[in-house]
């Protein structure tokens, strides 16, 4: 029975066997004594069922036509032609939501130069195209669509519903804000596009965290990107995200250079107030960076160098659904010494034992040698399994490394100290479009920050090892539902676990301390965004609820953002938010980590280290007419749960740990005039920033970051391929604390101490710096462009005092030493880049 079944089925199985059409045609020619005329490219794609040669030729040819999009035409008794099936396509394109005709849409035939557009009725017509042709249909505001001509052939015209492409309601209010590549959105945030970035004073190439300091209310009190102050807040109070991953390190060269490669970081959003409910942490502000997120249809990349380092990047499409983005950067400072490096080195290490001649560990008979370098690398994999889903995997790694050797001239005794700072982060995301109205995004990430220092004292056998480690893992899911064209509803959930450890290890006298804390945070959030069809009204209202299991504490954070046009050119804005965070940085000793990276990350304990919480409101008006913009905004912010150890006090309060708050009240003003060739702007910020610590005397005094007045005046000019930028920055001095004249030191058996005036009762001299930059773009060959740029910081070489503090050489000393931190002197830099 089995054999009989096999005998019956085998011929059928054999009959269904498929062969390449290119192999079938010669067999038919030999069997029927005929000749086929065809183009190889027309028949190569097809495989057909092996023909039964006992059948008549017309029947065989008709079966091949049914399996392919080919047409056989008999010329005479022996010769046949084979051509691709031709189609006549007539389609009416209509909006899938409103049913209205879509006019002006572009339709291209793939792999050809034929194209057309829809008329006023939404119609387009191709009278004679290959049946297997693919039509590429696109129009602004709609999802790009590909269709096969064979499926839409014939008349009368068939209707194709064209689906609108809904995106987050983020209308651009100012398209060129200060310089090209900066835009102001309707929610008050500013977006930086590194691809379109123009030029700013002192920057010959994009630097993300330096660029944002051009905005009113954003500055760095010590000229570094690792200490960015948004409306009077400290750097650790900023939420810094890279592709949704929280970053705990932001700078190279200990803060003088941004650690984020600008050539793969496509867009950066800077939010000072009124943030979306999807953002947690960041009681002061948010810097949200996104790398390039689309699969290009061609390879692109670039490489360049400046007087600090070299870098390269590449965007590599492996398939129409798969691409890889790569970048790498390394300093050249460990084998090439440049004027830029010398200026940076002097600025960073002026108050460390490396260059401080007043330090007991450093004397004139000591020889010093340092080896410093940094590098970073990033990788992103982009995969689009279909039009509805996007999968992204990304990773980045930063490293700063310092080796410091010191030896005595007389005895040749030597010791080596070291410092190593690393940040590793990787994550993945899945973006899904379930319908025209409903989308979702699922992300997960892991980030690790590690700081290690080994400090050896030359004249003793003492060794101090310090470590600060942060581990964070998290997952977030958010959905967006389009209730209507004007109304979006965002919902989501986020969970993260963060653990922080700190270790101190001293060999003489023997002491070792290690402390580790872990906090898990759950958060649910929801918000509604509305934008009127006329674009006159924008409103976003949301709430975020955090639950900290360790403290059994719920924290509710409402958010509100409103913009209303009052006239064609005048608009009013109101923003408000409440936010919280459990991670902060503190300074235990001013000379931790060789004195160049003094801050340690710690976690709140709900006791002497409370959860930091903020409240902020702002109200502003702006006028925007063609090439002129003017804006005025007032803000009020209070932040509770800060600690004295987190404020870098360098006075009588530096060894105390108590909690308090600070309040900032201020105004931001900006006027910007721009044309196609130039842009010039003047900004002014006034801020009154005061502490309140009940346990201190006096309880209220100026914040260490209190910059009352800040002015920036700058301009850029574009002349064909040449760009020029010149700017001037001025601000009043920050507070500091002086010892009491004539009564500087109190002598005690337990150790002498300095007698200070009331905290932050004096101010540094005013700060003034002028910067210059220029770039020239040119073409090397077809497809290869280049940029040559120069930048000079502090072109007048003005000496600015960034900080002053006082110390005793040891606890038995009666002489107070003054330590003065100075700004960068004149610092030239040059860059050369190629793009291909």
């Amino acid at each position: 029975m089995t054999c009989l079944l096999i005998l019956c089925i085998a011929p059928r199985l054999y009959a269904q066997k498929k062969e390449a059409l290119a192999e079938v045609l010669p067999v038919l020619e030999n069997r029927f004594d005929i000749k086929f005329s065809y183009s190889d490219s027309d028949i190569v794609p097809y495989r057909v069922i092996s023909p039964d040669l006992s059948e008549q030729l017309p029947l065989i040819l008709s079966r091949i036509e049914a399996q392919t999009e080919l047409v056989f035409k008999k010329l005479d008794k022996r010769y046949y032609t084979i051509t691709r099936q031709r189609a006549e396509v007539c389609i009416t394109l209509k909006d899938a939501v409103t049913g209205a005709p879509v006019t002006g849409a572009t339709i291209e035939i793939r792999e050809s130069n034929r194209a057309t557009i829809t008329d006023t009725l939404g119609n387009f017509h191709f009278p004679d195209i290959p049946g297997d042709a693919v039509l590429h249909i696109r129009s602004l505001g709609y999802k790009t669509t590909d269709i096969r001509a064979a499926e839409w052939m014939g008349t009368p015209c068939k209707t194709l519903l064209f689906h609108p492409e809904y995106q987050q309601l983020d209308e651009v209010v100012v398209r060129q804000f200060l310089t090209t590549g900066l835009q102001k959105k309707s929610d008050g945030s500013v977006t930086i596009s590194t691809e379109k970035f123009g030029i700013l004073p002192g920057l010959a190439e994009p630097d993300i965290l330096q660029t944002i300091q051009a905005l009113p209310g954003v500055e760095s009190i010590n000229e570094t990107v690792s200490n960015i102050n948004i409306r009077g807040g400290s750097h650790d109070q900023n939420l810094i995200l890279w592709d949704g991953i929280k970053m705990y390190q932001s700078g190279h060269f200990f803060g003088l250079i941004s650690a984020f490669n600008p050539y793969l970081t496509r867009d950066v959003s800077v939010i000072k107030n009124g943030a979306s409910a999807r953002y947690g942490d960041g009681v002061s502000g948010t810097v949200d960076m996104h790398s390039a997120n689309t699969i290009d249809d061609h390879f692109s990349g670039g490489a360049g160098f400046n007087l600090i380092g070299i870098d390269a990047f590449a965007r590599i499409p492996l398939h129409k659904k798969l691409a890889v983005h790569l970048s790498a950067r390394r300093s050249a400072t460990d084998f090439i010494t440049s004027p830029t490096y010398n200026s940076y080195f002097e600025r960073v290490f002026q108050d460390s034992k490396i260059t401080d001649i007043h330090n007991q560990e450093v004397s004139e008979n000591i020889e010093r040698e340092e080896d410093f370098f940094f590098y970073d690398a990033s990788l992103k994999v982009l995969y689009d399994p279909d039009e509805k889903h996007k999968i992204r995997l990304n990773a980045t790694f930063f490293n700063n490394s310092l080796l410091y050797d010191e030896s005595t001239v007389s005895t040749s005794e030597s010791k080596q100290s070291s410092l190593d700072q690393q940040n590793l982060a990787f994550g993945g995301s899945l973006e899904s479009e379930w319908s025209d109205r409903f989308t979702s995004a699922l992300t997960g990430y892991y980030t690790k920050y590690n700081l290690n220092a080994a400090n050896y004292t030359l004249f003793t056998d003492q060794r101090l090892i310090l470590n600060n480690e942060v581990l964070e893992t998290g997952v977030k899911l958010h959905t967006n539902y389009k209730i209507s064209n004007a109304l979006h509803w965002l919902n989501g959930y986020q969970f993260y676990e963060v653990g922080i450890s700190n270790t101190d290890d001293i060999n003489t006298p023997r002491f070792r301390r290690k402390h580790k804390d872990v906090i898990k945070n759950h958060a649910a959030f929801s918000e509604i965004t509305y934008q009127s069809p006329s674009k006159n009204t924008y409103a976003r209202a949301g709430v975020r609820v955090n639950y900290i299991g360790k403290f059994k504490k719920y924290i509710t954070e409402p958010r509100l953002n409103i913009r209303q046009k009052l006239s064609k050119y005048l608009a009013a804005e109101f923003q408000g938010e409440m936010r919280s965070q459990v991670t902060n940085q503190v300074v235990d000793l001013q000379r931790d980590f060789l004195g160049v990276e003094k801050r340690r990350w710690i976690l709140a304990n709900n006791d002497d280290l409370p959860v930091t919480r903020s409240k902020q409101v702002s109200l502003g008006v702006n006028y925007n007419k063609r090439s002129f913009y003017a804006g005025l905004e007032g803000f009020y912010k209070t932040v509770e749960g800060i600690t004295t150890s987190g404020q870098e006090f360098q006075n009588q309060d530096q060894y105390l740990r108590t909690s308090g708050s600070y309040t900032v009240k201020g105004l931001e003003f900006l006027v910007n005039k721009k044309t196609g060739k130039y842009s010039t702007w003047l900004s002014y910020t006034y801020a009154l920033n005061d502490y309140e610590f009940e346990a201190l005397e006096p309880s209220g005094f100026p914040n260490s970051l209190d910059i009352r007045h800040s002015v920036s005046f700058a301009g850029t000019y574009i002349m064909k391929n040449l760009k020029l930028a010149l700017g001037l920055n001025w601000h009043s001095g920050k507070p500091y604390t002086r010892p009491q004249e004539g009564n500087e030191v109190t002598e005690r058996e337990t150790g002498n101490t300095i007698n200070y005036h009331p905290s932050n009762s004096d101010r540094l001299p005013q700060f003034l710096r002028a910067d210059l930059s220029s770039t020239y773009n040119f073409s090397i060959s077809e497809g290869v462009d280049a940029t040559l740029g120069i930048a000079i910081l502090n072109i007048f070489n003005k000496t600015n005092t960034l900080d002053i503090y006082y110390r005793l050489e040891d606890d038995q000393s009666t002489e107070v030493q003054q330590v003065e931190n100075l700004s960068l002197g004149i610092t030239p830099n040059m860059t050369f880049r190629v793009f291909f």
Side-chain angles (χ1 to χ4, degrees):
M1 182 67 180
T2 303
C3 294
L4 181 61
L5 184 60
I6 292 174
L7 290 173
C8 293
I9 294 176
R12 295 171 180 260
L13 294 175
Y14 178 79
Q16 297 299 314
K17 180 182 177 182
K18 286 193 173 185
E19 297 181 79
L21 181 57
E23 297 176 359
V24 170
L25 293 178
V27 174
L28 295 178
E29 287 178 333
N30 290 334
R31 168 67 178 84
F32 296 102
D33 190 24
I34 59 175
K35 287 293 183 179
F36 294 110
S37 176
Y38 53 82
S39 171
D40 289 339
S41 61
D42 286 344
I43 66 170
V44 164
Y46 298 112
R47 298 179 64 84
V48 297
I49 298 172
S50 300
D52 183 355
L53 298 179
S54 65
E55 294 181 338
Q56 296 295 317
L57 179 61
L59 181 58
I60 294 174
L61 298 183
S62 65
R63 285 181 176 172
I64 294 176
E65 286 180 339
Q67 299 173 63
T68 65
E69 293 176 341
L70 299 174
V71 176
F72 289 82
K73 184 177 181 180
K74 185 176 180 180
L75 299 179
D76 54 33
K77 290 183 178 181
R78 191 177 181 204
Y79 291 96
Y80 290 77
T81 60
I82 305 175
T83 58
R84 286 195 294 177
Q85 185 180 14
R86 309 300 288 183
E88 180 180 2
V89 176
C90 182
I91 293 178
T92 300
L93 210 57
K94 291 188 176 182
D95 188 296
V97 177
T98 65
V102 179
T103 62
T106 301
I107 302 92
E108 301 171 344
I109 301 177
R110 292 276 195 183
E111 300 179 359
S112 79
N113 58 2
R114 296 182 63 184
T116 186
I117 62 173
T118 55
D119 59 23
T120 56
L121 299 178
N123 298 325
F124 71 88
H125 179 231
F126 282 113
D128 182 32
I129 59 175
D132 60 350
V134 175
L135 304 184
H136 184 65
I137 309 173
R138 55 189 172 87
S139 182
L140 185 64
Y142 291 87
K143 296 178 184 177
T144 300
T145 303
D146 286 342
I147 63 173
R148 293 180 63 84
E151 298 172 1
W152 294 85
M153 59 196 310
T155 54
C157 291
K158 298 180 181 180
T159 298
L160 172 62
L161 297 179
F162 208 24
H163 294 277
E165 184 172 28
Y166 298 108
Q167 299 177 341
Q168 201 69 23
L169 301 176
D170 55 356
E171 179 199 5
V172 175
V173 175
V174 185
R175 293 196 175 275
Q176 180 181 323
F177 192 64
L178 308 187
T179 188
T180 55
L182 272 69
Q183 298 179 337
K184 184 175 181 181
K185 299 297 185 68
S186 56
D187 63 358
S189 65
V190 174
T191 297
I192 303 167
S193 174
T194 56
E195 277 195 329
K196 302 174 183 176
F197 179 76
I199 190 171
L200 286 173
L203 292 179
E205 55 186 342
D207 185 298
I208 295 166
L209 299 182
Q210 293 284 5
T211 299
I212 70 174
Q213 295 176 45
L215 305 177
V218 182
E219 56 189 311
S220 174
I221 203 163
N222 65 353
E223 294 186 314
T224 70
V225 298
S226 58
N227 193 10
I228 291 178
N229 316 119
I230 299 179
R231 288 183 173 173
S234 57
H235 183 75
D236 59 312
Q237 294 171 356
N238 298 325
L239 174 63
I240 298 179
L241 297 173
W242 178 79
D243 277 343
I245 304 173
K246 183 176 179 179
M247 306 303 294
Y248 287 90
Q249 177 184 345
S250 58
H252 283 317
F253 219 133
F254 304 103
L256 292 178
I257 304 169
S258 172
F260 305 100
N261 191 310
Y263 297 103
L264 283 186
T265 304
R266 181 67 59 86
D267 296 305
V268 182
S269 294
V270 182
I271 305 169
K272 293 184 284 187
N273 189 16
S276 167
R278 68 178 185 270
Y279 293 112
D281 296 338
V283 298
S284 189
T286 300
V287 180
D288 189 6
M289 293 171 281
H290 295 276
S291 60
N293 202 44
T294 56
I295 298 177
D296 300 330
D297 57 6
H298 62 279
F299 171 84
S300 64
F305 69 88
N306 56 37
L307 298 184
I308 293 295
I310 58 176
D311 72 279
F313 74 97
R315 292 193 283 264
I316 309 169
L318 303 176
H319 185 269
K320 65 179 181 180
K321 294 184 177 182
L322 180 66
V324 173
H325 295 175
L326 303 167
S327 74
R329 175 170 50 171
R330 192 195 190 281
S331 65
T333 55
D334 50 337
F335 54 86
I336 295 177
T337 300
S338 67
T340 311
Y341 171 76
N342 291 335
S343 182
Y344 280 10
F345 189 86
E346 183 179 354
R347 163 67 185 86
V348 171
F349 299 112
Q350 61 182 290
D351 184 29
S352 70
K353 74 172 188 176
I354 295 173
T355 59
D356 183 3
I357 61 174
H358 297 295
N359 190 310
Q360 183 180 0
E361 299 172 330
V362 178
S363 59
E364 293 183 357
N365 66 338
I366 294 178
E367 293 183 345
R368 303 184 301 277
E369 183 177 350
E370 71 284 339
D371 183 13
F372 171 78
F373 69 92
F374 66 81
Y375 62 88
D376 61 66
S378 65
L379 166 69
K380 185 168 186 175
V381 179
L382 305 88
Y383 176 57
D384 295 345
D386 53 51
E387 294 182 356
K388 303 293 185 181
H389 299 87
K390 294 181 180 180
I391 298 174
R392 302 291 183 262
L393 302 173
N394 43 58
T396 189
F397 181 73
F398 309 149
N399 179 264
N400 285 301
S401 183
L402 170 69
L403 294 177
Y404 166 62
D405 292 292
E406 55 183 359
S407 59
T408 60
V409 175
S410 57
T411 64
S412 298
E413 181 181 1
S414 64
K415 293 288 177 65
Q416 184 180 78
S417 298
S418 64
L419 186 149
D420 196 64
Q421 186 181 32
Q422 299 178 350
N423 201 137
L424 168 67
F426 57 85
S429 66
L430 170 63
E431 300 176 15
S432 302
E433 181 184 346
W434 304 104
S435 71
D436 296 333
R437 295 179 177 270
F438 186 72
T439 61
S440 68
L442 175 66
T443 60
Y445 68 90
Y446 168 89
T447 183
K448 178 182 179 180
Y449 169 80
N450 198 38
L451 184 61
N452 285 296
N455 190 0
Y456 289 86
T457 304
L458 183 59
F459 297 108
T460 70
D461 292 327
Q462 188 180 71
R463 180 265 298 148
L464 171 62
I465 294 177
L466 301 169
N467 171 259
N468 181 212
E469 182 180 76
V470 181
L471 291 174
E472 181 173 322
T473 56
V475 63
K476 178 192 283 188
L477 171 66
H478 74 261
T479 63
N480 189 60
Y481 180 68
K482 188 186 83 69
I483 300 173
S484 67
N485 289 342
L487 203 61
H488 284 199
W489 186 19
L490 175 74
N491 292 282
Y493 166 78
Q494 181 179 5
F495 167 79
Y496 69 85
E497 179 182 74
V498 56
I500 299 180
S501 65
N502 279 284
T503 302
D504 303 79
D505 191 329
I506 303 175
N507 64 340
T508 306
R510 185 58 183 161
F511 172 79
R512 190 176 192 277
R513 178 182 63 182
K514 182 174 182 178
H515 183 75
K516 182 175 182 179
D517 280 319
V518 177
I519 284 181
K520 298 179 181 179
N521 184 293
H522 300 264
F525 53 90
S526 180
E527 74 180 17
I528 291 287
T529 305
Y530 171 78
Q531 190 172 50
S532 64
S534 64
K535 310 296 184 183
N536 289 334
T537 302
Y538 173 91
R540 184 176 67 206
V543 63
R544 182 183 180 95
V545 180
N546 299 287
Y547 176 69
I548 306 174
K550 185 175 183 178
F551 307 146
K552 295 181 172 57
K553 175 180 286 189
Y554 287 93
I555 300 176
T556 302
E557 301 172 359
R559 315 280 174 88
L560 183 62
N561 197 314
I562 299 174
R563 183 177 189 274
Q564 177 63 51
K565 274 193 172 183
L566 305 177
S567 67
K568 185 176 181 179
Y569 304 115
L570 187 66
E573 299 174 344
F574 176 81
Q575 293 149 358
E577 66 176 23
M578 296 176 64
R579 299 178 75 167
S580 64
Q581 65 182 65
V582 296
T583 56
N584 291 283
Q585 286 183 317
V586 299
V587 177
D588 288 333
L589 296 171
Q590 290 295 329
R591 302 193 59 77
D592 276 4
F593 302 114
L594 300 180
V596 298
E597 182 56 71
K598 300 175 289 188
R599 291 169 293 181
R600 305 172 182 233
W601 286 100
I602 61 168
L603 276 173
N605 59 18
N606 208 33
D607 186 15
D608 61 328
L609 296 171
V611 177
T612 306
R613 304 177 66 172
S614 70
K615 301 175 184 177
Q616 183 178 185
V617 293
S618 58
L619 178 64
V621 292
N622 57 71
Y623 178 84
N624 183 31
K625 183 178 181 181
R626 298 185 184 92
S627 62
F628 180 79
Y629 172 86
L632 177 66
E633 186 172 7
F635 63 90
Y636 177 92
K637 178 170 71 174
T638 179
V639 178
E640 301 174 347
I642 64 171
T643 63
T644 49
S645 55
Q647 301 304 304
E648 297 189 46
F649 285 147
Q650 298 170 330
N651 52 32
Q652 62 267 39
D653 301 324
Q654 65 181 315
Y655 299 114
L656 301 176
R657 176 169 287 184
T658 185
S659 61
S661 64
Y662 70 84
T663 300
V664 190
K665 296 171 282 188
L667 289 171
E668 296 170 358
F669 172 74
L670 172 68
V671 58
N672 181 202
K673 172 67 177 178
K674 50 196 176 295
T675 67
K677 289 188 175 182
Y678 73 87
S679 175
T680 182
W681 65 90
L682 172 68
S683 70
Y684 168 69
T685 302
Y686 169 79
L688 183 64
N689 192 349
D690 290 322
Y691 286 127
E692 183 63 36
F693 288 97
E694 292 183 2
L696 303 183
E697 181 61 39
S699 59
F701 51 94
N703 193 310
S704 298
L705 302 176
D706 179 37
I707 300 296
R708 293 287 172 89
H709 307 277
S710 180
V711 176
S712 175
F713 177 65
T716 65
Y717 183 76
I718 300 175
M719 183 173 56
K720 294 184 178 180
N721 295 332
L722 181 66
K723 298 178 182 178
L724 299 169
L726 178 65
L728 190 70
N729 294 287
W730 174 90
H731 66 69
S732 54
K734 70 180 286 287
Y736 77 108
T737 310
R738 289 188 301 109
Q740 298 177 12
E741 296 83 354
N743 184 31
E744 289 87 356
V745 179
T746 296
E747 300 182 35
R748 295 188 177 93
E749 293 183 3
T750 56
N752 297 347
T753 59
I754 299 175
N755 296 320
Y756 288 97
H757 284 291
S759 294
N760 289 350
S761 55
D762 285 276
R763 287 190 176 267
L764 297 176
Q766 63 186 14
F767 176 96
L768 180 65
R769 192 184 80 188
D771 303 324
L772 171 70
S773 59
S774 177
T775 62
Y776 180 73
N777 303 321
F778 58 97
S779 178
I780 296 178
S781 64
E782 184 177 354
V784 180
D785 297 323
T787 298
L788 179 65
I790 61 169
I792 304 176
L793 295 172
N794 197 2
I795 57 178
F796 298 127
N797 200 26
K798 178 175 172 54
T799 300
N800 291 299
T801 301
L802 300 176
D803 197 13
I804 294 177
Y805 67 93
Y806 302 86
R807 67 186 182 194
L808 299 175
E809 185 172 340
D810 55 53
D811 60 5
Q812 299 303 314
S813 176
T814 59
E815 181 180 352
V816 176
Q817 296 178 345
Q818 176 177 296
V819 180
E820 187 174 7
N821 288 333
L822 303 179
S823 67
L824 284 168
I826 184 170
T827 306
N829 200 356
M830 185 272 289
T831 180
F832 175 75
R833 302 197 60 83
V834 293
F835 300 91
F836 43 83

